[in-house]
Amino acid sequence: MKLLRKRDIPEEKYSNAFLGFGPEESHFVVELTYNYGVDKYDIGKGFGHFAIATEDVYKLVEDIKAKGGKITREPGPVKGGTTFIAFAQDPDGYIFELIQRGPTPEPLCHVMLRVGDLDRSIKFYEKACGMKLLRISDNPAYKYTLAMMGYAEEKETTVLELTYNYGVTEYTKGNAYAQIALSTEDVYKSAEAIRLVTQELGGKITREPGPIPGINTKITSFLDPDGWKVVFVDHSDFLKELHQEG
């Protein structure tokens, strides 16, 4: 990844760094947030990992080791499958799955979250976020089912991996992982649509639509039925923010 930009928001007492494999206008990125004076967080049990696609997982693992990184699973085939993967852990404890696959325009390929009711979560992200169910994979031998949700095929863009572990309906969230951010043409209309979905499936609006203090980009935020936070960002405002900082 490359550092794309940094910003400091003294009014809200935090700083951000945005990292990714391409410009924010066209790529999914990781937002790292430092809250003034806070140096430790609890990741909890619900957040799974970020995933990065690579054409050679063995070479990537060696590169990570050479730079002092921590590998928590050596490269090899996934349990019950043929895809070659490995896992790495960053200094703050976040897990990255490294997946061997062919060339892709978006190496930051998915974010994995654990959920307590897979069918409910699929319906929520379809209705509240306009995502499509790309595929479902059930693995009875290891007692889990996963659903891949997104706006395009997995090899084309970043997707959301929802994982249901048999019989587990709740997870601790901790206070480290924050949110997924998506763009929208109108945060006010999006908030009204989300409100209707939360009444049907659960979740709630946590921030009414409006500008962020100190930035003026309009957003709205909400929780899904499992308590995972999603933020909708006004697309035009976001582009203005990028150009102003650039």
Side-chain angles (χ1 to χ4, degrees), residues 172-246:
T172 57
K173 301 294 187 300
N175 60 356
Y177 171 80
Q179 64 208 25
I180 290 176
L182 307 169
S183 69
T184 179
E185 297 302 322
D186 189 325
V187 295
Y188 298 95
K189 288 183 179 179
S190 293
E192 289 308 308
I194 292 161
R195 203 181 310 277
L196 293 175
V197 177
T198 60
Q199 290 171 2
E200 176 191 356
L201 297 170
K204 64 179 181 180
I205 300 280
T206 55
R207 183 169 188 155
E208 293 295 335
I212 303 172
I215 302 176
N216 295 321
T217 297
K218 293 186 291 295
I219 68 168
T220 188
S221 62
F222 57 97
L223 301 180
D224 78 0
D226 288 282
W228 296 116
K229 184 179 177 183
V230 180
V231 177
F232 269 126
V233 181
D234 182 279
H235 186 62
S236 295
D237 286 354
F238 175 67
L239 293 179
K240 291 177 184 176
E241 178 187 334
L242 288 181
H243 296 152
Q244 287 172 357
E245 295 186 11

Side-chain angles (χ1 to χ4, degrees), residues 53-146:
T54 176
E55 294 184 56
D56 189 338
V57 69
Y58 290 91
K59 182 179 184 303
L60 180 55
V61 164
E62 291 307 311
D63 289 345
I64 291 171
K65 288 180 178 180
K67 295 175 181 177
K70 181 179 180 180
I71 299 298
T72 59
R73 183 197 190 278
E74 293 293 334
V78 67
K79 294 177 181 178
T82 58
T83 302
F84 281 72
I85 66 169
F87 283 95
Q89 186 177 50
D90 80 359
D92 290 292
Y94 286 100
I95 299 296
F96 286 78
E97 181 181 12
L98 313 174
I99 304 174
Q100 184 163 292
R101 62 171 55 161
T104 173
E106 182 50 88
L108 185 55
C109 54
H110 73 246
V111 178
M112 192 274 259
L113 302 175
R114 297 181 176 95
V115 299
D117 183 328
L118 190 59
D119 289 338
R120 179 185 63 184
S121 294
I122 290 170
K123 291 177 183 176
F124 185 89
Y125 282 95
E126 285 177 333
K127 293 184 176 183
C129 302
M131 292 185 182
K132 295 180 180 180
L133 174 61
L134 303 174
R135 66 180 174 96
I136 291 181
S137 177
D138 186 36
N139 196 324
Y142 295 97
K143 298 182 179 180
Y144 72 86
T145 306
L146 60 86

Side-chain angles (χ1 to χ4, degrees), residues 143-163:
K143 298 182 179 180
Y144 72 86
T145 306
L146 60 86
M148 310 303 285
M149 309 287 298
Y151 298 104
E153 295 302 314
E154 291 178 61
K155 294 183 179 181
E156 298 174 10
T157 188
T158 307
V159 301
L160 180 62
E161 177 183 326
L162 303 175
T163 297

